[in-house]
Amino acid sequence: MAAITAAMVGELRAKTDAPMMECKKALTEADGDMAKAEEILRVKLGSKASKAATRVTAEGVIAAYISGNTGALLEVNCETDFVSKNDDFMAFTNACAKLVAEKNPADVAALSALPMDGKTVEEVRSALVGKIGENMSLRRFSRFETSAKLASYLHGTRIGVVVEFDGADDQVGKDVAMHIAAMKPVALSAEQVPAEMIEKERSIAAQKAAEDAAKAEAEGKKPQPAEIVAKRIDGSVQKYLKEVSLLNQPFVKNDKQSVEQMLKAANAGVKSFAMFVVGEGIEKRQDDFAAEVAAQVAAAKQA
């Protein structure tokens, strides 16, 4: 049985907004598996128990670069928030984003090999690590080259969006980019939501229905017919698809219309988009200061 620490409970609460005791119970049931515990809470508490799309688990910055019909979105990670505000670190990140747009590297390794200021990007990165005294890494990028238009939005340096769109009004592209940063869709349309995400949502809905049926049976109530349960599960999945697909989301500037309706009224359309959130999916190291001090004292005694 994995030890459930206060830090683990706090992290799960930050991700789900669920009560502390529920977080602890879920972690215990999941034997310390954070992703499994989050799923358990979603079954027990409903979809409101997930704020995973907004969590930030590492430091760094997002940079965007657009020139004409080419553009790039780039994430560079570092160890502390302090370094993410360093001028040299920011200059390096912005220069890398420009290189992605202009040179079209195949991947991060190819980007690292590109020339920059008489050196390679990797050599510049290594020199910057030595100067600042903190590790940093190029994590990911997305490049655009299109006959349509491009717009970008940066929420500080923590969330970045680039949108490929058609339309006479450039403000539409900027508005959609801001909307994406706020609402964090996972796909352009419901049809483009990854199958594994849909299946996970269907599994959660099915587990919730089974739990409700068990509760009804324990209370001596008649269970719902199988076809009604199936419709409930399908309804939950369809609701989820609307919530995470850009075109179906209520537009942030006017929630009386969907993004698709707003675009149609503006005689515009979105072809694709990319959104990065700093550190998304990276487990942030939890330092135990007391343990670190004790280890240093023990090492000093031995010396």
Side-chain angles (χ1 to χ4, degrees):
M1 178 68 71
I4 308 303
T5 66
M8 292 169 66
V9 175
E11 182 182 349
L12 185 60
R13 176 169 167 76
K15 289 178 178 180
T16 64
D17 207 27
M20 281 289 188
M21 288 308 297
E22 292 297 332
C23 290
K24 186 174 182 180
K25 289 177 184 176
L27 281 164
T28 302
E29 184 176 339
D31 197 23
D33 186 316
M34 190 66 65
K36 180 64 177 176
E38 189 174 341
E39 186 171 326
I40 290 170
L41 283 176
R42 292 210 46 209
V43 171
K44 290 184 176 180
L45 305 179
S47 60
K48 68 179 182 180
S50 178
K51 296 197 303 181
T54 63
R55 67 179 180 260
V56 174
T57 55
E59 304 305 331
V61 297
I62 308 296
Y65 176 85
I66 293 176
S67 178
N69 61 353
T70 60
L73 192 67
L74 170 77
E75 178 180 358
V76 181
N77 295 129
C78 57
E79 293 180 48
T80 64
D81 182 59
F82 178 76
V83 168
S84 71
K85 297 178 174 66
N86 179 278
D87 289 341
D88 290 337
F89 179 73
M90 285 299 306
F92 171 72
T93 302
N94 289 326
C96 286
K98 184 179 180 182
L99 276 177
V100 169
E102 293 179 344
K103 303 300 182 181
N104 192 21
D107 51 27
V108 169
L111 170 60
S112 298
L114 288 175
M116 176 186 281
D117 300 331
K119 302 177 182 178
T120 65
V121 169
E122 173 58 23
E123 288 171 340
V124 174
R125 185 199 69 82
S126 296
L128 197 56
V129 169
K131 178 181 178 180
I132 296 176
E134 181 172 309
N135 193 27
M136 57 193 69
S137 61
L138 300 164
R139 184 187 181 198
R140 55 180 172 169
F141 63 78
S142 183
R143 182 181 184 272
F144 293 79
E145 186 170 354
T146 177
S147 58
K149 296 180 178 180
L150 294 173
S152 66
Y153 173 73
L154 292 173
H155 187 71
T157 57
R158 315 276 311 174
I159 303 173
V161 178
V162 172
V163 176
E164 180 186 11
F165 71 104
D166 285 312
D169 188 353
D170 290 344
Q171 186 61 42
V172 169
K174 295 176 183 178
D175 285 346
V176 172
M178 290 179 66
H179 170 97
I180 292 169
M183 301 304 292
K184 299 177 178 61
V186 301
L188 180 61
S189 64
E191 293 74 23
Q192 294 178 14
V193 175
E196 60 270 19
M197 295 184 72
I198 298 174
E199 285 308 307
K200 181 177 181 180
E201 196 64 26
R202 185 174 295 279
S203 173
I204 289 171
Q207 291 177 62
K208 182 69 167 64
E211 190 168 281
D212 289 346
K215 183 178 179 181
E217 184 178 358
E219 294 174 352
K221 297 178 181 177
K222 186 178 180 181
Q224 289 184 323
E227 60 270 20
I228 299 298
V229 174
K231 286 181 179 180
R232 279 182 56 198
I233 294 171
D234 285 340
S236 294
V237 172
Q238 291 305 313
K239 181 175 180 290
Y240 167 76
L241 290 175
K242 287 184 177 180
E243 290 173 347
V244 300
S245 54
L246 172 63
L247 296 178
N248 287 310
Q249 290 180 331
F251 182 42
V252 290
K253 281 192 168 184
N254 177 11
D255 61 8
K256 298 294 190 294
Q257 61 180 179
S258 67
V259 172
E260 186 172 32
Q261 289 169 333
M262 180 278 291
L263 290 169
K264 187 175 181 180
N267 195 26
V270 173
K271 304 181 77 172
S272 67
F273 71 89
M275 179 192 70
F276 292 161
V277 178
V278 166
E280 188 176 38
I282 298 176
E283 288 301 324
K284 189 173 182 180
R285 189 182 73 180
Q286 297 291 331
D287 290 326
D288 187 335
F289 181 71
E292 184 179 339
V293 171
Q296 290 178 356
V297 170
K301 287 181 177 179
Q302 287 181 353

